[in-house]
Amino acid sequence: MVLKAPRGTKDILPEEAIYFQFLEDTARSVFGRWGYEELRTPIFESTELFCRGVGEETDIVSKEMYTFEDRKGRSLTLRPEGTAPVVRAMIEHNLLKQQGVRRKVFYTGAMFRYERPQAGRQRQFSQGGVEFFGCDSPLADAELIAMLSAYLQALGFENTQVKINTIGNETSRQAYNAKLRQCLADVSESLCADCRRRAETNPMRTLDCKEKDCQAVIADFPPLSDFLDDESREHYQSTLRVLKNLDVSFVEDPMLVRGFDYYTHTVFEICLEGLGAQDAVLGGGRFDGLVELLGGPSTPALGAAFGLERLIMAMKAVGIAPPDSDSKSRTYVQALDESCIERAMEVAHALRQSGVPVRFDLAKKSFKAGLKAAIKNECAWMVVIGEEELDSGQVLVKNLDGARQVRVSLDRLISASTFHDLFEETST
Ligand code: AMP
């Protein structure tokens, strides 16, 4: 029997891994400029963290978690999202204790959800995320969204669309939940079993229901914006104003609520072209109550997460390739005779130690076959060592772009800061 990767998971092969590296490196560089530091949490957590943090009635907790008991009977869950673990870690390590503390952290890593696999939806996938603790100003909401737009631009995307909405503060949501309860009671027969339950336990979660019949009746309900109090309205309007001043383009989407219980005030998503049904690559919002809910000091907070696989699909759809940073110095070392292989290996070793990326396959080849392999490996340079070179103590260096070549001593080769210098020396 041939063993295969489990349904909904994927091996990330080398051709694909370079995309992940590019997304992670760019995240580190862009988020670093905004003052974010990396935080890594375990892949599994106690199940209770997600039940309390994400919410029992969310799809994630009620249907999609990989939960198991360990050998001592403790209930553990493979993390389905990154925010609750980050908050748990911030509290556990007392990072939010001091008054007025502001901390910004980012993460990347594997997440697990038992969903029906399809294009852009897997059971193990990779998310990057950012979380900003300790600031209740709408300036923080705008700064976060502007930074995420800058991240997508740094990756090479031009047409990013931020969808934004507010779900208001606790008071506004209580008023809206009361209204939703009434509306849901009137249409109870048309609802699926889940929504009939949610109508009692957590009415706002009916807005995420994917059943067509539920969506049809819910579309006629009054929008949350009718129930916002002054504080919620002011927070939202200020966020939009600052976004405009920062030249971030957005559209308001009054139906956007996002499927987590922890959000307050601003919620947003960013969609990209070329992804079909799963076009949201990034989602986030403010979660002012979550730190306290998980046992920490009352701390305003906000954050977002993006799916790396979906970003890669979008990169491919619009033709963005990860940059090949080695391509200008990549060098193919070739031994022409059996007697030169060890010497060629020493040359390859010395070049590698001095920082040059080298391709050398530990065997002899004809000059022609070596040249072909160098081109296939996308090398910019070729260093050739044959009997003649061994005798003269020199090597042949070939520039594969301009197809020029020079003979230099090994010492000179290793000490050259770029191989271009070798050509300039010989032409003067
Ligand atoms: P969420 O944590 O649900 O807000 O999702 C944030 C982002 O993670 C989404 O916009 C997607 O890019 C990505 N994502 C969520 N679920 C999956 C999944 N099952 N497979 C692949 N990517 C996902």
Side-chain angles (χ1 to χ4, degrees):
M1 191 178 63
V2 182
L3 291 175
K4 289 192 166 171
R7 184 165 147 77
T9 69
K10 269 190 187 158
D11 297 307
I12 298 169
L13 303 180
E15 298 76 44
E16 195 83 352
I18 53 174
Y19 283 83
F20 283 87
Q21 288 159 13
F22 174 54
L23 294 177
E24 288 160 4
D25 291 348
T26 310
R28 206 158 277 133
S29 137
V30 173
F31 303 151
R33 269 184 267 151
W34 265 259
Y36 284 74
E37 299 166 296
E38 185 168 3
L39 176 68
R40 301 183 190 208
T41 64
I43 276 181
F44 57 83
E45 297 271 356
S46 71
T47 302
E48 194 196 343
L49 173 67
F50 301 109
C51 295
R52 264 166 64 188
V54 180
E56 301 266 9
E57 278 298 347
T58 59
D59 276 356
I60 290 185
V61 171
S62 62
K63 301 183 187 153
E64 298 171 359
M65 294 209 300
Y66 278 92
T67 297
F68 57 97
E69 279 190 3
D70 73 3
R71 286 167 192 273
K72 288 267 167 68
R74 287 173 283 240
S75 180
L76 299 171
T77 292
L78 298 183
R79 62 180 180 201
E81 60 96 53
T83 300
V86 166
V87 172
R88 197 256 321 123
M90 300 295 286
I91 298 170
E92 185 170 334
H93 302 285
N94 284 326
L95 301 181
L96 304 169
K97 259 257 174 92
Q98 305 122 279
Q99 274 289 316
V101 70
R102 295 207 172 158
R103 287 297 292 239
K104 293 169 164 179
V105 294
F106 77 92
Y107 60 85
T108 54
M111 305 293 157
F112 305 84
R113 294 183 195 172
Y114 193 85
E115 294 191 90
R116 197 167 54 78
Q118 52 179 274
R121 200 195 283 164
Q122 293 166 212
R123 290 182 173 168
Q124 176 178 334
F125 59 100
S126 308
Q127 271 190 349
V130 288
E131 319 288 2
F132 180 1
F133 295 91
C135 185
D136 59 9
S137 161
L139 289 173
D141 304 47
E143 186 194 70
L144 179 80
I145 296 171
M147 175 183 76
L148 292 163
S149 300
Y151 173 58
L152 295 176
Q153 275 166 21
L155 295 175
F157 290 106
E158 282 162 11
N159 298 322
T160 58
Q161 194 188 50
V162 180
K163 284 192 210 161
I164 188 165
N165 190 25
T166 179
I167 55 170
N169 57 14
E170 181 74 30
T171 323
S172 309
R173 279 198 315 282
Q174 270 175 10
Y176 188 50
N177 270 324
K179 180 69 188 173
L180 279 182
R181 270 200 185 90
Q182 276 175 13
C183 297
L184 289 162
D186 293 344
V187 295
S188 173
E189 297 86 77
S190 323
L191 299 173
C192 71
D194 281 345
C195 281
R196 249 177 266 153
R197 195 187 61 247
R198 291 174 186 139
E200 297 300 321
T201 55
N202 192 345
M204 269 182 69
R205 289 282 68 85
T206 58
L207 305 180
D208 315 322
C209 185
K210 294 180 184 92
E211 296 291 329
K212 289 258 170 333
D213 291 350
C214 295
Q215 284 179 352
V217 291
I218 286 163
D220 293 333
F221 290 178
L224 198 153
S225 53
D226 293 355
F227 295 81
L228 294 177
D229 65 5
D230 290 346
E231 191 225 346
S232 301
R233 241 180 255 284
E234 171 56 24
H235 188 99
Y236 185 51
Q237 290 310 324
S238 303
T239 304
L240 300 187
R241 189 187 63 245
V242 182
L243 279 176
K244 276 191 200 128
N245 292 342
L246 295 175
D247 272 338
V248 177
S249 62
F250 60 84
V251 288
E252 293 180 67
D253 179 352
M255 293 314 286
L256 185 69
V257 289
R258 310 223 355 101
F260 298 81
D261 278 357
Y262 52 61
Y263 285 119
T264 54
H265 289 291
T266 314
V267 287
F268 57 91
E269 276 182 3
I270 301 187
C271 298
L272 291 171
E273 307 163 280
L275 292 180
Q278 312 292 327
D279 66 344
V281 288
L282 182 152
R286 186 169 266 287
F287 45 90
D288 287 343
L290 184 61
V291 177
E292 213 172 354
L293 182 75
L294 294 178
S298 166
T299 310
L302 62 164
F306 46 91
L308 302 193
E309 287 82 0
R310 283 196 205 164
L311 276 173
I312 293 170
M313 282 171 70
M315 285 173 70
K316 290 182 176 168
V318 296
I320 301 171
D324 180 355
S325 52
D326 279 353
S327 65
K328 290 213 163 59
S329 55
R330 195 178 303 128
T331 300
Y332 198 85
V333 171
Q334 184 56 53
L336 296 182
D337 305 287
E338 198 67 39
S339 56
C340 311
I341 296 177
E342 279 190 32
R343 186 75 182 122
M345 186 179 175
E346 287 162 22
V347 172
H349 183 73
L351 285 172
R352 284 165 173 158
Q353 281 201 306
S354 71
V356 179
V358 172
R359 301 292 177 269
F360 172 57
D361 70 6
L362 306 168
K364 81 168 174 91
K365 269 195 197 86
S366 70
F367 186 84
K368 219 172 139 193
L371 191 60
K372 229 170 130 181
I375 293 167
K376 191 159 171 253
N377 280 276
E378 297 177 1
C379 290
W381 307 93
M382 192 172 166
V383 172
V384 181
I385 299 156
E387 301 264 352
E388 203 182 312
E389 285 77 18
L390 268 192
D391 293 343
S392 66
Q394 292 197 315
V395 294
L396 180 80
V397 183
K398 196 170 165 62
N399 171 348
L400 293 176
D401 289 346
R404 291 194 301 156
Q405 57 189 51
V406 284
R407 270 175 212 282
V408 294
S409 71
L410 184 56
D411 286 348
R412 184 61 202 109
L413 179 76
I414 304 300
S415 64
S417 55
T418 92
F419 289 177
H420 283 290
D421 295 351
L422 304 173
F423 288 87
E424 270 150 33
E425 282 161 22
T426 52
S427 60
T428 49

